[in-house]
């Protein structure tokens, strides 16, 4: 029996799941249950419409912030900071080691650094002529690691 390579014109959720299933099984066999939990924190206007917020997931003891959006007319009102504080609270409540995310050069690196995030990686020319930054913020040390001087 052999395999063939297929490239769907319009990839579907089923296509993604076909790829994820063996990857999840492999990862679980090596690193255990990832404890996957989606996280959504919404910004809602006075009319009850959701107009932005934060989307992420907890997996393997870290919260990954995939999306953070505050509508332009609401920027400067500390909504981004409030969303990130809520995300950190959720991460702490679930025993996460930290929070990580990525942002483009033309987005919000300085914002995240003001919140205590540190750069741990960067990808040049994404998009061409700019960079994508990867940042993290530790909330606690990994289990079993000793803090302070051991002398």
């Amino acid at each position: 029996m052999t395999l063939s390579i297929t490239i769907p014109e319009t990839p579907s959720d089923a296509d993604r799941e076909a790829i994820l299933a063996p990857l999840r099984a492999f990862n679980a066999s090596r690193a255990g249950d990832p404890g996957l939990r989606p996280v959504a924190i919404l910004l809602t206007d006075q009319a009850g419409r959701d107009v932005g917020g934060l989307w992420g997931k907890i997996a393997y003891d870290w919260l990954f912030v995939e999306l953070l959006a505050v509508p332009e007319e609401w920027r400067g009102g500390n909504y981004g900071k409030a969303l990130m504080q809520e995300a950190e609270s959720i991460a702490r409540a679930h025993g996460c080691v930290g929070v990580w995310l990525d942002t483009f050069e033309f987005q919000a690196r300085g914002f995240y650094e003001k919140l205590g995030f540190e750069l741990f990686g960067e990808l040049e020319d994404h998009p061409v002529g700019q960079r994508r930054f990867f940042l993290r913020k530790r909330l606690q040390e990994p289990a079993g690691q000793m803090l302070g001087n051991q002398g």
Side-chain angles (χ1 to χ4, degrees):
M1 182 179 211
T2 63
L3 298 174
S4 61
I5 293 177
T6 304
I7 303 171
E9 186 68 33
T10 307
S12 67
D13 289 341
D15 296 331
R16 185 174 192 275
E17 188 56 38
I19 296 164
L20 273 174
L23 183 59
R24 282 186 191 126
F26 177 83
N27 290 351
S29 75
R30 300 304 192 275
D33 180 3
L36 189 62
R37 180 190 188 283
V39 173
I41 307 167
L42 300 172
L43 289 174
T44 307
D45 69 12
Q46 290 180 339
R49 294 175 300 204
D50 297 325
V51 296
L54 181 149
W55 180 266
K57 67 180 175 185
I58 294 172
Y60 290 119
D61 307 310
W62 282 79
L63 168 60
F64 170 60
V65 175
E66 183 178 356
L67 305 168
L68 176 73
V70 175
E72 230 173 303
E73 65 268 24
W74 295 102
R75 291 186 188 157
N78 287 322
Y79 294 108
K81 181 178 179 181
L83 289 167
M84 291 303 294
Q85 287 172 335
E86 288 293 334
E88 285 184 31
S89 292
I90 291 169
R92 281 187 179 92
H94 286 84
C96 290
V97 173
V99 179
W100 73 282
L101 53 86
D102 60 83
T103 188
F104 290 103
E105 184 173 5
F106 56 85
Q107 289 179 327
R109 177 181 173 182
F111 165 76
Y112 295 116
E113 288 175 330
K114 286 179 188 174
L115 297 177
F117 283 76
E118 64 178 356
L119 184 70
F120 73 89
E122 111 179 29
L123 181 61
E124 294 181 12
D125 286 327
H126 186 55
V128 173
Q130 297 194 41
R131 296 173 291 173
R132 189 170 188 171
F133 300 111
F134 297 83
L135 299 111
R136 70 176 167 225
K137 181 177 183 180
R138 279 194 171 273
L139 304 176
Q140 65 183 32
E141 292 302 315
Q145 188 167 350
M146 301 297 291
L147 299 176
N149 280 337
Q150 304 295 316

